Amino acid sequence: YDLSAFSVKYEKCQNVQSWSDELADDEESSGTVFAIKEFVVFRLCPSDSCETCNANYGEYVLPADEYLLAATERTREDFENFCKICEETCNNGGYCDECSADCSTYDNLGNNGYVDASNYVQCQQIDMNNNDNGEEGDENNDGQNGNDAEGQLLYIGPRCSSNGSRIYIGLFSDEDCGVPYELPDG
């Protein structure tokens, strides 16, 4: 089937709470045996009608991390192609001030203190062992190295907003990013 005539349209992010064997087996868990999993609902819409997408579409569901991996890779490839075309146009005497500025801004995000959120679309333990110089060390000099003050390992990954309209990067207390991290009382 030829999908080139269709576009992907994000509909919503949906939390699904389900039984977790891992949490049930964990004697030190916070008392819940349910984990939250995030899924993305999206549509394949005819490219000429993606603004409305009320007919002739297919609706699909993927785990949020799989959807985000595909979407960020596609966006990255599209932007790199845009910058390549911009560079070629500029080298041929074309108008390039605006696209050059966009590409330069993108290339320098890390130098301006921004973190690439696409690095966190899959659940992973927080690694606080690398400082800005690329040397091993405790970033905060607090001895925690990816743990909270209680010594609990912390994880980072995708999380749906409360109404499902957005996907955020969240902090979790389990390696599957199914239990949102809550600050200890104190």
Side-chain angles (χ1 to χ4, degrees):
Y1 192 76
D2 181 19
L3 294 177
S4 64
F6 292 86
S7 298
V8 174
K9 182 176 187 264
Y10 172 87
E11 282 296 305
K12 66 181 175 178
C13 185
Q14 182 67 51
N15 291 323
V16 176
Q17 192 172 30
S18 63
W19 173 269
S20 168
D21 287 333
E22 186 176 308
L23 289 174
D25 291 340
D26 185 1
E27 294 176 10
E28 296 178 18
S29 82
S30 61
T32 183
V33 293
F34 295 102
I36 297 172
K37 299 290 183 189
E38 281 83 12
F39 293 90
V40 170
V41 178
F42 65 97
R43 291 180 177 176
L44 278 181
C45 307
S47 292
D48 60 354
S49 68
C50 213
E51 287 300 315
T52 57
C53 198
N54 293 332
N56 301 322
Y57 64 85
E59 197 161 64
Y60 302 91
V61 176
L62 277 176
D65 59 346
E66 289 181 31
Y67 175 86
L68 290 170
L69 279 171
T72 56
E73 182 62 27
R74 174 64 188 258
T75 301
R76 184 177 288 123
E77 287 173 4
D78 287 350
F79 199 78
E80 287 171 0
N81 288 335
F82 168 79
C83 290
K84 183 178 177 181
I85 291 168
C86 174
E87 184 178 330
E88 291 169 0
T89 302
C90 291
N91 290 337
N92 292 328
Y95 178 76
C96 62
D97 288 341
E98 190 172 317
C99 71
S100 291
D102 290 344
C103 293
S104 177
T105 299
Y106 176 77
D107 288 340
N108 291 306
L109 286 175
N111 297 335
N112 293 323
Y114 290 94
V115 175
D116 186 354
S118 68
N119 293 329
Y120 304 105
V121 297
Q122 289 186 303
C123 185
Q124 59 190 284
Q125 183 179 344
I126 293 177
D127 180 13
M128 295 172 53
N129 291 323
N130 288 319
N131 62 24
D132 289 339
N133 299 325
E135 299 172 7
E136 293 297 314
D138 184 2
E139 181 176 296
N140 299 318
N141 290 326
D142 61 5
Q144 301 304 316
N145 295 326
N147 299 355
D148 70 358
E150 309 276 314
Q152 178 183 6
L153 292 174
L154 299 176
Y155 300 86
I156 191 167
R159 183 173 185 181
C160 300
S161 65
S162 60
N163 66 4
S165 65
R166 298 184 189 276
I167 302 172
Y168 298 112
I169 301 300
L171 193 59
F172 298 86
S173 58
D174 69 310
E175 64 187 20
D176 297 318
C177 291
V179 180
Y181 176 74
E182 295 180 20
L183 288 172
D185 295 332

